[in-house]
Amino acid sequence: MSILDSWLCTKPIAHRGLHPEALPENSLGAFENAIEHGYPIELDVRTIGDGSVVVFHDSKLSRVSGLDGYVSTLEPEKLGDVHLFGTDYTIPTFEKVLEIVNGRVPILIEIKNEDKIGGLEKAVAEMLNSYMGDYAVQSFNPYSLGYFATAMPHVMRGQLSTFFKKEELSG
């Protein structure tokens, strides 16, 4: 099958889930809502303090939770303390999202890595090795995609683009 015939080009994709106001972006509720409507899900993954993979877009907590600090410094036991947009929803782990989605719709996974390549990519790849649903990965960081090209060459990858001004990517 060509890329043009795949789910990536034939269906609308729910960006960070299907999230009306009551269901925040990148929340389990937004993902369930997308599944109920039959939409593939785009989501963002990054690591927290112990190297666990969570689903969260921003590097900072403030926009989504009103809290100061960075997602990368959180510990797993604190995830339940970060409420998304004033709701009862909290930051989900990538593992929990895979369990919930369970192949019911495809997933487009954005790798959010502005740091050294390897830890996040390896953790995501290990979880995806046993995942039975359809998925693809994308990133602004070409080195993240290079990791997947080597470790999982069968996985569809997409290069996102932007102007990198002050950020430096490391391979």
Side-chain angles (χ1 to χ4, degrees), residues 1-13 38-40 106 134 156:
M1 169 182 8
S2 82
I3 184 74
L4 295 176
D5 298 324
S6 78
W7 60 268
L8 287 164
C9 294
T10 60
K11 293 186 170 199
I13 299 173
Y39 293 120
D134 290 332
M156 283 194 280

Side-chain angles (χ1 to χ4, degrees), residues 6 12 18 24 33 40 47 56 60 66 68-69 71 78 81 83 89 119-121 124-125 135 138 145 147 151 170:
S6 78
L18 190 56
N33 194 30
T47 55
F56 198 82
K60 295 180 181 179
D68 285 333
V71 176
K78 296 294 184 183
D81 296 341
H83 292 271
Y89 290 101
L120 172 58
E121 293 78 7
V124 169
Y135 60 88
Q138 63 182 357
L145 295 176
Y147 179 95
S170 60

Side-chain angles (χ1 to χ4, degrees), residues 1 3-4 7-8 10 27 35 37 39 41 47 61 65 67 69 81 94 97 106-107 114 121 123 144 152 158 163:
M1 169 182 8
I3 184 74
L4 295 176
W7 60 268
L8 287 164
T10 60
S27 70
I35 293 165
H37 287 85
Y39 293 120
I41 297 166
T47 55
L61 296 168
S65 71
L67 300 173
D81 296 341
F94 183 51
V97 171
I107 304 173
E114 300 90 27
E121 293 78 7
S144 288
M152 301 177 84
F163 291 106

